Amino acid sequence: DFNATNPTPVSGGRSSLLQQTITHETYTDSQGNSWLSDGVNNSANPFPWDLRASTETSINWASHKGWYIDLKSPLSFRGWEGERVVSAPLLRDGRVIFQTMIPNLDPCEYGSTHWSMELSAADGSRLDVTPYDLNADDVYNENDYVEIWTLDQNGNPIKTDIPVSGKR
């Protein structure tokens, strides 16, 4: 944010903002299996959608003046793809809902890839409840969560079921 009478950033730049991160993203392997991965740990994706998960770091308003999220895939073979927000975000019930676009890099092709993202408007974290009915049972609950695997401080795998933050 910029102050109209002073061209310096009001927020003090990214260093004074809380960073949220896209931690997991779906990819399909050569056998056609769908995985939700952080680039190291894979979890089976049981849904027919490409999905994303993000961090849920709470904001400390004493040290942060807002938040940001870089639109970067956690998968090393994707990484930065030129993704951008292409429409005005919608604020509803404490959520920010926005669409992104990743342009096709082949100049001879048309089209793009799109993501629908839904995060907490206050701190950019993933929501406590699922924003998507992924199993199409007309109920938004834990059956629409995905499992992710992380490692604890001793290197032991830990399974966690979480709501997703984005759907392609």
Side-chain angles (χ1 to χ4, degrees), residues 116-137:
S116 172
M117 301 290 293
E118 206 161 323
L119 304 168
S120 165
D123 61 12
S125 64
R126 74 170 173 255
L127 301 172
D128 293 334
V129 295
T130 183
Y132 305 107
D133 179 18
L134 297 174
N135 64 359
D137 65 355

mmCIF file of all heavy atoms in Angstrom, residues 116-137:
data_model
loop_
_atom_site.group_PDB
_atom_site.id
_atom_site.type_symbol
_atom_site.label_atom_id
_atom_site.label_comp_id
_atom_site.label_asym_id
_atom_site.label_seq_id
_atom_site.Cartn_x
_atom_site.Cartn_y
_atom_site.Cartn_z
ATOM 1 N N SER A 116 -8.684 -21.384 -8.290
ATOM 2 C CA SER A 116 -9.595 -20.686 -7.395
ATOM 3 C C SER A 116 -9.005 -20.839 -6.000
ATOM 4 O O SER A 116 -8.784 -21.953 -5.540
ATOM 5 C CB SER A 116 -10.982 -21.319 -7.456
ATOM 6 O OG SER A 116 -11.815 -20.758 -6.469
ATOM 7 N N MET A 117 -8.727 -19.730 -5.341
ATOM 8 C CA MET A 117 -8.101 -19.753 -4.017
ATOM 9 C C MET A 117 -9.059 -19.147 -2.990
ATOM 10 O O MET A 117 -9.774 -18.186 -3.287
ATOM 11 C CB MET A 117 -6.793 -18.961 -4.022
ATOM 12 C CG MET A 117 -5.747 -19.457 -4.994
ATOM 13 S SD MET A 117 -5.014 -21.033 -4.534
ATOM 14 C CE MET A 117 -4.126 -20.575 -3.045
ATOM 15 N N GLU A 118 -9.043 -19.709 -1.784
ATOM 16 C CA GLU A 118 -9.868 -19.188 -0.696
ATOM 17 C C GLU A 118 -9.057 -19.259 0.595
ATOM 18 O O GLU A 118 -8.652 -20.335 1.022
ATOM 19 C CB GLU A 118 -11.153 -20.017 -0.593
ATOM 20 C CG GLU A 118 -12.274 -19.240 0.012
ATOM 21 C CD GLU A 118 -13.648 -19.815 -0.276
ATOM 22 O OE1 GLU A 118 -13.897 -20.317 -1.380
ATOM 23 O OE2 GLU A 118 -14.471 -19.744 0.664
ATOM 24 N N LEU A 119 -8.807 -18.079 1.194
ATOM 25 C CA LEU A 119 -7.956 -17.954 2.374
ATOM 26 C C LEU A 119 -8.628 -17.058 3.407
ATOM 27 O O LEU A 119 -9.588 -16.345 3.098
ATOM 28 C CB LEU A 119 -6.604 -17.340 1.990
ATOM 29 C CG LEU A 119 -5.803 -18.049 0.898
ATOM 30 C CD1 LEU A 119 -4.646 -17.179 0.430
ATOM 31 C CD2 LEU A 119 -5.307 -19.385 1.402
ATOM 32 N N SER A 120 -8.080 -17.029 4.599
ATOM 33 C CA SER A 120 -8.538 -16.099 5.627
ATOM 34 C C SER A 120 -8.157 -14.682 5.208
ATOM 35 O O SER A 120 -6.998 -14.415 4.889
ATOM 36 C CB SER A 120 -7.891 -16.427 6.967
ATOM 37 O OG SER A 120 -8.052 -15.352 7.868
ATOM 38 N N ALA A 121 -9.117 -13.783 5.200
ATOM 39 C CA ALA A 121 -8.837 -12.404 4.813
ATOM 40 C C ALA A 121 -7.947 -11.708 5.845
ATOM 41 O O ALA A 121 -7.145 -10.844 5.492
ATOM 42 C CB ALA A 121 -10.135 -11.624 4.634
ATOM 43 N N ALA A 122 -8.053 -12.080 7.102
ATOM 44 C CA ALA A 122 -7.307 -11.401 8.157
ATOM 45 C C ALA A 122 -5.816 -11.691 8.107
ATOM 46 O O ALA A 122 -4.998 -10.786 8.268
ATOM 47 C CB ALA A 122 -7.852 -11.780 9.534
ATOM 48 N N ASP A 123 -5.445 -12.955 7.864
ATOM 49 C CA ASP A 123 -4.020 -13.288 7.926
ATOM 50 C C ASP A 123 -3.524 -14.148 6.761
ATOM 51 O O ASP A 123 -2.377 -14.561 6.744
ATOM 52 C CB ASP A 123 -3.668 -13.946 9.258
ATOM 53 C CG ASP A 123 -4.396 -15.254 9.510
ATOM 54 O OD1 ASP A 123 -5.019 -15.796 8.585
ATOM 55 O OD2 ASP A 123 -4.331 -15.738 10.659
ATOM 56 N N GLY A 124 -4.377 -14.444 5.770
ATOM 57 C CA GLY A 124 -3.948 -15.194 4.600
ATOM 58 C C GLY A 124 -3.748 -16.680 4.828
ATOM 59 O O GLY A 124 -3.290 -17.387 3.940
ATOM 60 N N SER A 125 -4.089 -17.162 6.017
ATOM 61 C CA SER A 125 -3.872 -18.583 6.306
ATOM 62 C C SER A 125 -4.970 -19.434 5.680
ATOM 63 O O SER A 125 -6.023 -18.932 5.292
ATOM 64 C CB SER A 125 -3.824 -18.815 7.814
ATOM 65 O OG SER A 125 -5.069 -18.505 8.398
ATOM 66 N N ARG A 126 -4.696 -20.751 5.591
ATOM 67 C CA ARG A 126 -5.748 -21.637 5.109
ATOM 68 C C ARG A 126 -6.889 -21.603 6.110
ATOM 69 O O ARG A 126 -6.706 -21.308 7.299
ATOM 70 C CB ARG A 126 -5.228 -23.045 4.869
ATOM 71 C CG ARG A 126 -4.956 -23.850 6.098
ATOM 72 C CD ARG A 126 -4.663 -25.323 5.743
ATOM 73 N NE ARG A 126 -4.248 -26.030 6.911
ATOM 74 C CZ ARG A 126 -2.997 -26.392 7.176
ATOM 75 N NH1 ARG A 126 -2.034 -26.123 6.330
ATOM 76 N NH2 ARG A 126 -2.716 -27.027 8.293
ATOM 77 N N LEU A 127 -8.058 -21.908 5.640
ATOM 78 C CA LEU A 127 -9.251 -21.843 6.476
ATOM 79 C C LEU A 127 -9.318 -23.026 7.442
ATOM 80 O O LEU A 127 -8.744 -24.080 7.180
ATOM 81 C CB LEU A 127 -10.494 -21.812 5.584
ATOM 82 C CG LEU A 127 -10.539 -20.637 4.614
ATOM 83 C CD1 LEU A 127 -11.705 -20.796 3.648
ATOM 84 C CD2 LEU A 127 -10.619 -19.317 5.355
ATOM 85 N N ASP A 128 -10.037 -22.847 8.537
ATOM 86 C CA ASP A 128 -10.211 -23.913 9.523
ATOM 87 C C ASP A 128 -11.181 -24.981 9.039
ATOM 88 O O ASP A 128 -11.180 -26.101 9.540
ATOM 89 C CB ASP A 128 -10.733 -23.342 10.846
ATOM 90 C CG ASP A 128 -9.719 -22.453 11.533
ATOM 91 O OD1 ASP A 128 -8.510 -22.641 11.308
ATOM 92 O OD2 ASP A 128 -10.143 -21.567 12.296
ATOM 93 N N VAL A 129 -12.041 -24.624 8.108
ATOM 94 C CA VAL A 129 -13.007 -25.554 7.533
ATOM 95 C C VAL A 129 -12.840 -25.541 6.020
ATOM 96 O O VAL A 129 -12.352 -24.569 5.451
ATOM 97 C CB VAL A 129 -14.455 -25.203 7.917
ATOM 98 C CG1 VAL A 129 -14.674 -25.348 9.405
ATOM 99 C CG2 VAL A 129 -14.816 -23.816 7.463
ATOM 100 N N THR A 130 -13.266 -26.592 5.384
ATOM 101 C CA THR A 130 -13.092 -26.685 3.941
ATOM 102 C C THR A 130 -13.983 -25.695 3.183
ATOM 103 O O THR A 130 -15.161 -25.573 3.503
ATOM 104 C CB THR A 130 -13.357 -28.121 3.448
ATOM 105 O OG1 THR A 130 -13.114 -28.175 2.051
ATOM 106 C CG2 THR A 130 -14.768 -28.572 3.744
ATOM 107 N N PRO A 131 -13.433 -25.013 2.199
ATOM 108 C CA PRO A 131 -14.267 -24.148 1.365
ATOM 109 C C PRO A 131 -14.858 -24.882 0.162
ATOM 110 O O PRO A 131 -15.657 -24.319 -0.572
ATOM 111 C CB PRO A 131 -13.291 -23.068 0.913
ATOM 112 C CG PRO A 131 -11.977 -23.757 0.867
ATOM 113 C CD PRO A 131 -12.014 -24.779 1.975
ATOM 114 N N TYR A 132 -14.474 -26.153 -0.044
ATOM 115 C CA TYR A 132 -14.890 -26.900 -1.227
ATOM 116 C C TYR A 132 -15.522 -28.237 -0.831
ATOM 117 O O TYR A 132 -15.015 -28.932 0.035
ATOM 118 C CB TYR A 132 -13.683 -27.185 -2.132
ATOM 119 C CG TYR A 132 -12.919 -25.951 -2.527
ATOM 120 C CD1 TYR A 132 -11.665 -25.686 -1.981
ATOM 121 C CD2 TYR A 132 -13.440 -25.049 -3.441
ATOM 122 C CE1 TYR A 132 -10.955 -24.555 -2.341
ATOM 123 C CE2 TYR A 132 -12.737 -23.913 -3.807
ATOM 124 C CZ TYR A 132 -11.493 -23.670 -3.254
ATOM 125 O OH TYR A 132 -10.800 -22.543 -3.601
ATOM 126 N N ASP A 133 -16.607 -28.583 -1.504
ATOM 127 C CA ASP A 133 -17.241 -29.890 -1.333
ATOM 128 C C ASP A 133 -16.595 -30.840 -2.337
ATOM 129 O O ASP A 133 -17.126 -31.104 -3.409
ATOM 130 C CB ASP A 133 -18.753 -29.780 -1.578
ATOM 131 C CG ASP A 133 -19.474 -31.096 -1.439
ATOM 132 O OD1 ASP A 133 -18.905 -32.036 -0.839
ATOM 133 O OD2 ASP A 133 -20.608 -31.196 -1.947
ATOM 134 N N LEU A 134 -15.425 -31.352 -2.007
ATOM 135 C CA LEU A 134 -14.614 -32.108 -2.953
ATOM 136 C C LEU A 134 -15.181 -33.474 -3.297
ATOM 137 O O LEU A 134 -14.952 -33.988 -4.382
ATOM 138 C CB LEU A 134 -13.186 -32.254 -2.414
ATOM 139 C CG LEU A 134 -12.424 -30.938 -2.247
ATOM 140 C CD1 LEU A 134 -11.087 -31.192 -1.574
ATOM 141 C CD2 LEU A 134 -12.245 -30.246 -3.578
ATOM 142 N N ASN A 135 -15.925 -34.087 -2.381
ATOM 143 C CA ASN A 135 -16.485 -35.409 -2.673
ATOM 144 C C ASN A 135 -17.926 -35.337 -3.175
ATOM 145 O O ASN A 135 -18.574 -36.354 -3.360
ATOM 146 C CB ASN A 135 -16.369 -36.339 -1.463
ATOM 147 C CG ASN A 135 -17.178 -35.859 -0.282
ATOM 148 O OD1 ASN A 135 -17.826 -34.817 -0.324
ATOM 149 N ND2 ASN A 135 -17.147 -36.623 0.791
ATOM 150 N N ALA A 136 -18.434 -34.123 -3.391
ATOM 151 C CA ALA A 136 -19.752 -33.878 -3.989
ATOM 152 C C ALA A 136 -20.898 -34.562 -3.249
ATOM 153 O O ALA A 136 -21.845 -35.046 -3.863
ATOM 154 C CB ALA A 136 -19.741 -34.288 -5.464
ATOM 155 N N ASP A 137 -20.848 -34.555 -1.898
ATOM 156 C CA ASP A 137 -21.940 -35.133 -1.122
ATOM 157 C C ASP A 137 -22.856 -34.061 -0.531
ATOM 158 O O ASP A 137 -23.692 -34.346 0.315
ATOM 159 C CB ASP A 137 -21.409 -36.054 -0.020
ATOM 160 C CG ASP A 137 -20.604 -35.306 1.039
ATOM 161 O OD1 ASP A 137 -20.365 -34.083 0.880
ATOM 162 O OD2 ASP A 137 -20.199 -35.952 2.023
#
